[in-house]
Amino acid sequence: MSLAAQIEDEERQDQIRMLIDSAAGIAPRQGDFSRLRGLRFTQPGIDRATWSRIAEMGWLGLRLPEDAGGAGLGALEYAALACEAGAALLPEPLIEAQLAIDMMGAVTPPAVLTGDEIILPAWASVPDGLDPAGGVQVEGGNRLNGEKLFVPMAEAADRLLVTTGEGMFLVARSDVQVDSRPTQDGGHLAVLRFRDSPATPVPGSPGPALEAAALAVSAYLLGAMERSFEITLDYLKTRRQFGRPIGSFQVLQHRTVDLKLQIEITRAVLRDACVAMDDGRNVAAAVSRLKARAADAAMLVTRQAIQLHGAIGYTDEADIGLFLRKALTIGNRYGSPDWHRARHAELTGDDIAEGRIALRQDPAPLPAIEPEPHQDLNPLPDLDFRATVRRWIEANYPPHLRNPQRRLHIAEGRPWYDALSRQGWLAPNWPREHGGMGLSPAKHLILIEEMERHGAARLPDQGITMVGPLLIRHGTEAQRAHHLPRILSGEIIWCQGYSEPDAGSDLAALRTSAMREGDEWVINGQKIWTTLGLDGDWIFVLARTDMQAPKQKGISFFIMPVTTKGIEIRPILNLDRHDEFCEVFFRDVRIPADSIVGEVNQGWTIAKNLLGFERIFLGSPFQATGALDHLTRLIRHLGRQDDPAIRVMLNELRMELEDHKSLYTTFADQVRRGESLGPDVSMLKINLSALYQKITDRMIGIAGEHAALLDPLQDDRSLYPASAFIQARPHSIYGGSSEIQKNIVAKQVLGLSETMR
Ligand SMILES: Cc1cc2nc3c(=O)[nH]c(=O)nc-3n(C[C@H](O)[C@H](O)[C@H](O)COP(=O)(O)OP(=O)(O)OC[C@H]3O[C@@H](n4cnc5c(N)ncnc54)[C@H](O)[C@@H]3O)c2cc1C
């Protein structure tokens, strides 16, 4: 999803679209690279006519306030433009010129904004970081001595803006020795040597402008990633080997999905960094997270682009290599990923040392109301709603059930279940006329976020999330009248009978049969992995009602009490030795004709319709946040919080979790705007599963001999690395395994499939 599509301000959306249109005239996304190739490895390496057009488009004054002759636009607009520049691999030093303009602010010479003069910044004196102070000394207030390093495209500059410990100075290029060396992308980097060079002081401070440049270069890298990915995707669809397009090979499809995921995470993190910059909040930490992610992702995507092209990718002639060389050249500019990770750790270090890793930022104190049972909370503004549900959960949730490390049985969670039922909050998404809260998707999401924030247990909720909505939509009046009130009161608990021993990922291959005999259906077969099957009073089952029809077409949806004669339930211990799921046998189980929901043979379609919301729920950052909290407690328990290696590891995980939250926000915002989620939401669960498991892997890594223990380290189970590790395993299996989710993204988002011919 584009940056413009992710903001609600229509004026800004239009502004961004106009900028992108203007970019098409100068640096077209789909253009060829002949101009770039003509400029490569030449001096000054830029085209002045193009520079004039850049100025005419107003790009150079983009961020300057309007009263200083600029357009006064924000970080999002700047990022959108830089992204287009990156997609076209624009060789002109747009970001560097903008950096100089940002530093000079209102005193920017008008000739710079018209493109007649180019001023480029000379700020670096060491190979890595964002320190503008070193390298050059000031003599008598107007002469410079010393060296500045790594000045991009200095040969193109008319004057240089030099940063020192005593302020900034303008120096004519003719007054400084410029030693340029070519760079991998065909440009150049210069060492500038100052020998009593005449200099004019300029007021201002380089710090914030350097943050904006780091943000812009990240956006440029995102554009470069997007374009190299598009080119690679086209190649996978057209290059044939073994008689078929290479994009039909699953191993390449999955790798492609991994790259797409990196691109989408970078875009989400970029959006959050832009918002931070525009709001002036936590800018440095947000920029560090962005720059680290963007540079690493760009290297990964462009490296893999070469691999996926085979030998042609290794030639100078193929355009795909231009992207790798660009990523190589600018990936470390304005701070390498390692440098930014270290800065992020420094900026947030105290939180880690004090064990305050819980990442959900509390909003400022909010106006909460005392909600009446069954009160319609939809009219409340979102912030008030959040405050209200937060306060109610804090007041009513049984403290001993916070952050359980496994799925609770209904008997354990009953007090909470009953409290929700009494309050009328058990079924947030059901319509109010059916006894639900009737919440909008946006408010439903807030409620889930607040439950997760408090560490509320997920109770057996199949009746609420699956059966209820299905009956409301497809059930008969009698089915609704009988079942909905019993679900809402908590009297009847439901479990889900979909999977079978030979029908897991390929669920439509299920063989449990339902045959019509008179006014009864007779069920035979077996279900397996039925979560909390021992707690269920009723079960809903997908069964085959037409043996001849294509597999998805001959399936129907049935409901029945688990006490029906012929049903046998056997618990299965999971790897954590907990009876989390069951197998369910059906031997000549006779149920009345009206036990079917919806039309005969329509079961597959109606069951599939239910999956939408589950996909964002399963990708929410909740479990990974809890795991990171657990890991932090473990580190403190072991007294290793000051171990530098541990701190590096913890900071990296923390950044990854923050990045995942950015990705989650992308999809949650879609829900909030009332848009339906597309198949790309599968990326959320893929990423969450991998991160959640990685965090628990690290627990085992640092737990030492404790990792072997069958018991928790503490009585309250709050420190139990082995259990946390094991509990994380199924996240990549249930709700559609990670591999199946990758198949979905490859096919439905990227247009790659095994049957491509
Ligand atoms: C904790 C837990 C709770 C569950 N609760 C329920 C429940 O309440 N009700 C219910 O009906 N089911 C439930 N399930 C079952 C779950 O839906 C299935 O486990 C899941 O669909 C995968 O099926 P499977 O286990 O048979 O694995 P398989 O489908 O046999 O897959 C084995 C491996 O092969 C991979 N694979 C399979 N096909 C492909 C392919 N085409 N391309 C690439 N890789 C592939 C899978 O990703 C997996 O890694 C639960 C499972 C777990 C772990």
Side-chain angles (χ1 to χ4, degrees), residues 250 254 462 496-501 503-507 528-531 580-581 730 732-740 743 754:
Q250 195 184 56
H254 285 195
Q462 312 271 23
Q496 179 198 41
Y498 282 4
S499 304
E500 297 184 5
S505 301
D506 185 12
L507 181 60
I528 197 165
W529 317 128
T530 312
T531 296
E580 177 179 1
F581 41 33
S732 52
I733 299 174
Y734 60 60
S737 71
S738 293
E739 291 79 12
I740 296 299
N743 290 350
E754 277 169 22

Side-chain angles (χ1 to χ4, degrees), residues 32-355:
D32 68 27
F33 292 99
S34 49
R35 190 178 79 85
L36 168 69
R37 286 183 177 276
L39 289 170
R40 281 201 309 165
F41 309 116
T42 64
Q43 300 280 20
I46 73 157
D47 171 16
R48 276 312 270 241
T50 302
W51 193 255
S52 298
R53 288 172 58 212
I54 284 175
E56 271 166 34
M57 290 292 174
W59 293 3
L60 296 174
L62 189 84
R63 284 170 46 78
L64 267 190
E66 288 180 55
D67 54 14
L73 299 180
L76 267 168
E77 289 83 354
Y78 185 29
L81 181 63
C83 191
E84 293 309 297
L89 296 179
L90 182 79
E92 281 73 19
L94 176 68
I95 295 170
E96 280 66 40
Q98 186 65 57
L99 170 58
I101 293 169
D102 270 3
M103 287 175 175
M104 293 183 287
V107 298
T108 302
V112 169
L113 299 182
T114 58
D116 294 319
E117 183 185 19
I118 297 181
I119 295 180
L120 295 179
W123 60 272
S125 56
V126 288
D128 204 354
L130 279 179
D131 178 11
V136 168
Q137 294 77 44
V138 185
E139 206 73 52
N142 61 359
R143 303 196 87 74
L144 302 186
N145 282 300
E147 278 183 5
K148 282 288 185 184
L149 307 180
F150 310 110
V151 183
M153 309 306 278
E155 304 285 351
D158 301 303
R159 282 193 285 172
L160 294 140
L161 181 64
V162 185
T163 60
T164 74
E166 296 167 51
M168 304 189 301
F169 295 84
L170 277 172
V171 179
R173 185 163 63 93
S174 49
D175 289 330
V176 59
Q177 186 188 329
V178 179
D179 291 330
S180 286
R181 296 177 69 182
T183 46
Q184 286 291 335
D185 63 344
H188 41 87
L189 280 176
V191 175
L192 303 190
R193 295 196 168 84
F194 302 86
R195 302 270 181 275
D196 272 338
S197 304
T200 311
V202 178
S205 129
L210 281 168
E211 301 293 345
L215 179 140
V217 96
S218 304
Y220 188 106
L221 286 165
L222 172 63
M225 276 186 250
E226 286 172 349
R227 181 77 194 285
S228 66
F229 184 71
E230 278 164 26
I231 293 172
T232 305
L233 208 52
D234 282 347
Y235 192 73
L236 290 170
K237 289 175 186 169
T238 48
R239 170 71 176 164
R240 299 177 72 85
Q241 287 295 291
F242 301 96
R244 49 199 265 218
I246 55 173
S248 64
F249 297 117
Q250 195 184 56
V251 64
L252 300 194
Q253 291 174 4
H254 285 195
R255 198 173 305 170
T256 313
V257 173
D258 292 341
L259 303 184
K260 173 75 176 161
L261 180 53
Q262 288 302 316
I263 293 172
E264 293 312 320
I265 295 175
T266 307
R267 196 193 318 283
V269 177
L270 172 62
R271 180 211 51 226
D272 283 359
C274 288
V275 171
M277 189 164 283
D278 283 342
D279 293 353
R281 276 184 303 106
N282 303 324
V283 176
V287 166
S288 278
R289 191 156 65 79
L290 168 65
K291 183 69 208 319
R293 170 65 65 171
D296 281 348
M299 285 303 284
L300 177 74
V301 172
T302 56
R303 250 184 359 238
Q304 281 295 326
I306 302 296
Q307 174 67 20
L308 293 171
H309 273 77
I312 189 76
Y314 189 58
T315 63
D316 189 51
E317 184 192 324
D319 288 338
I320 196 67
L322 298 174
F323 294 92
L324 177 67
R325 297 177 78 126
K326 181 58 91 175
L328 197 55
T329 305
I330 64 171
N332 288 343
R333 191 166 291 171
Y334 306 112
S336 67
D338 281 344
W339 185 87
H340 277 288
R341 276 189 282 271
R343 184 173 79 158
H344 186 272
E346 222 169 82
L347 291 166
T348 55
D350 287 348
D351 289 2
I352 297 172
E354 290 162 22

Side-chain angles (χ1 to χ4, degrees), residues 70 285 332 377 383 414 668 721:
N332 288 343
L377 298 178
L383 277 180
R414 187 52 93 176

Side-chain angles (χ1 to χ4, degrees), residues 362-417:
D362 271 11
L366 299 166
I369 64 161
E370 196 67 58
E372 296 293 324
H374 301 281
Q375 182 183 342
D376 182 4
L377 298 178
N378 260 318
L380 289 182
D382 282 358
L383 277 180
D384 299 7
F385 175 77
R386 188 182 285 281
T388 299
V389 298
R390 181 179 297 182
R391 201 165 76 177
W392 190 86
I393 294 167
E394 283 170 356
N396 289 279
Y397 190 81
H400 68 284
L401 295 182
R402 281 188 81 176
N403 299 309
Q405 297 231 348
R406 57 173 176 80
R407 285 297 294 265
L408 297 183
H409 284 296
I410 185 67
E412 298 165 290
R414 187 52 93 176
W416 178 229
Y417 209 86

